[in-house]
């Protein structure tokens, strides 16, 4: 994980998007049987994300690292996840990350233009990732439905 912040800053500051090219593909985690790759789908910026323990037997409360420069205020922040397998929609899920009266994380309430770097647990349930390849669309947006971050990911579990 060394160099994570520096690497993320470089991704964020150097936009390859002059010619409408996609952002580079990043590895969120990889071990023997599980690999998670992601790509920013926000045309304006990239962001850094990694998972500390990568295991298909996903533990609850895993530690993640997340770094981004905020495009919007985030008094309220929501995460929408759509999971696909072989082009078919399997699951849609919406999770409130920050709410006005219930700020779950230290970065809740931060302002547009500020940089966030979060390293710590997320309150996820544990489960086993079934063998296969999955596509995931993730969208973070604030109370005004303005995009804060967007990513598409591929999960390969063998
Ligand atoms: C993200 O989506 C693009 C366009 O559909 C696709 O080419 C790319 O492989 C995807 N990246 C990941 C990491 O899933
Ligand atoms: C949402 O939009 C309103 C009206 O445009 C604005 O006053 C407010 O600051 C915005 N809130 C956020 C979180 O961006
Ligand atoms: C997920 O949402 C999309 C778009 O709204 C919809 O087409 C799809 O059927 C939903 N999938 C599930 C499993 O509910």
């Amino acid at each position: 994980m060394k160099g994570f912040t520096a690497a993320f800053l470089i991704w964020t500051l150097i936009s390859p998007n002059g010619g409408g090219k996609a952002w580079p593909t990043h590895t969120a985690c990889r071990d023997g049987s599980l690999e998670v790759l992601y790509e920013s789908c926000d045309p304006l910026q990239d962001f850094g994300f990694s998972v500390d323990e990568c295991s298909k037997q996903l533990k609850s409360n895993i530690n993640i690292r997340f770094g981004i420069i905020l495009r919007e205020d985030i008094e309220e922040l929501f995460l929408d996840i759509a999971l696909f397998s072989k082009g078919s929609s399997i699951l849609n899920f919406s999770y409130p990350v920050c709410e006005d009266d219930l700020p779950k994380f230290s970065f809740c309430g931060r302002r547009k233009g500020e940089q966030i770097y979060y390293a710590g647990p997320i309150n996820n349930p544990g489960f086993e990732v079934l063998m296969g390849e999955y596509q995931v669309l993730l969208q973070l947006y604030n109370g005004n439905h303005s995009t804060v971050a967007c990513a598409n990911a591929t999960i390969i579990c063998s």
Side-chain angles (χ1 to χ4, degrees):
M1 287 312 129
K2 235 170 81 185
F4 174 88
T5 310
F8 132 70
L9 276 176
I10 291 164
W11 304 330
T12 329
L13 297 176
I14 303 173
S15 163
N17 266 6
K21 277 182 253 122
W23 293 103
T25 301
H26 306 297
T27 303
C29 76
R30 177 185 283 147
D31 84 348
S33 55
L34 188 71
E35 186 174 13
V36 180
L37 305 171
Y38 74 95
E39 203 174 306
S40 172
C41 47
D42 178 346
L44 296 181
Q45 71 172 1
D46 201 355
F47 65 90
F49 174 76
S50 71
V51 181
D52 285 7
E53 307 131 82
C54 194
S55 160
K56 61 186 191 177
Q57 193 63 58
L58 192 76
K59 296 197 198 93
S60 53
N61 272 313
I62 53 170
N63 286 304
I64 64 150
R65 290 156 202 261
F66 180 73
I68 194 168
I69 294 172
L70 290 176
R71 276 178 56 179
E72 304 290 342
D73 294 353
I74 54 165
E75 273 96 59
E76 293 183 282
L77 186 66
F78 304 92
L79 174 65
D80 277 3
I81 299 177
L83 183 66
F84 301 84
S85 173
K86 299 191 178 88
S88 308
S89 168
I90 306 179
L91 181 76
N92 292 331
F93 182 75
S94 191
Y95 175 75
V97 182
C98 302
E99 291 173 293
D100 254 345
D101 48 351
L102 191 63
K104 297 194 186 82
F105 295 96
S106 52
F107 54 76
C108 292
R110 301 285 288 277
R111 299 275 169 196
K112 179 176 180 167
E114 287 189 66
Q115 182 186 324
I116 287 180
Y117 176 63
Y118 176 77
I122 50 170
N123 184 20
N124 65 291
F127 58 87
E128 184 172 350
V129 184
L130 299 179
M131 205 182 279
E133 186 171 323
Y134 305 92
Q135 282 71 49
V136 191
L137 290 175
L138 300 121
Q139 193 167 16
L140 277 169
Y141 55 92
N142 72 3
N144 283 1
H145 268 270
S146 302
T147 300
V148 173
C150 165
N152 67 308
T154 300
I155 300 172
I156 302 157
C157 180
S158 52

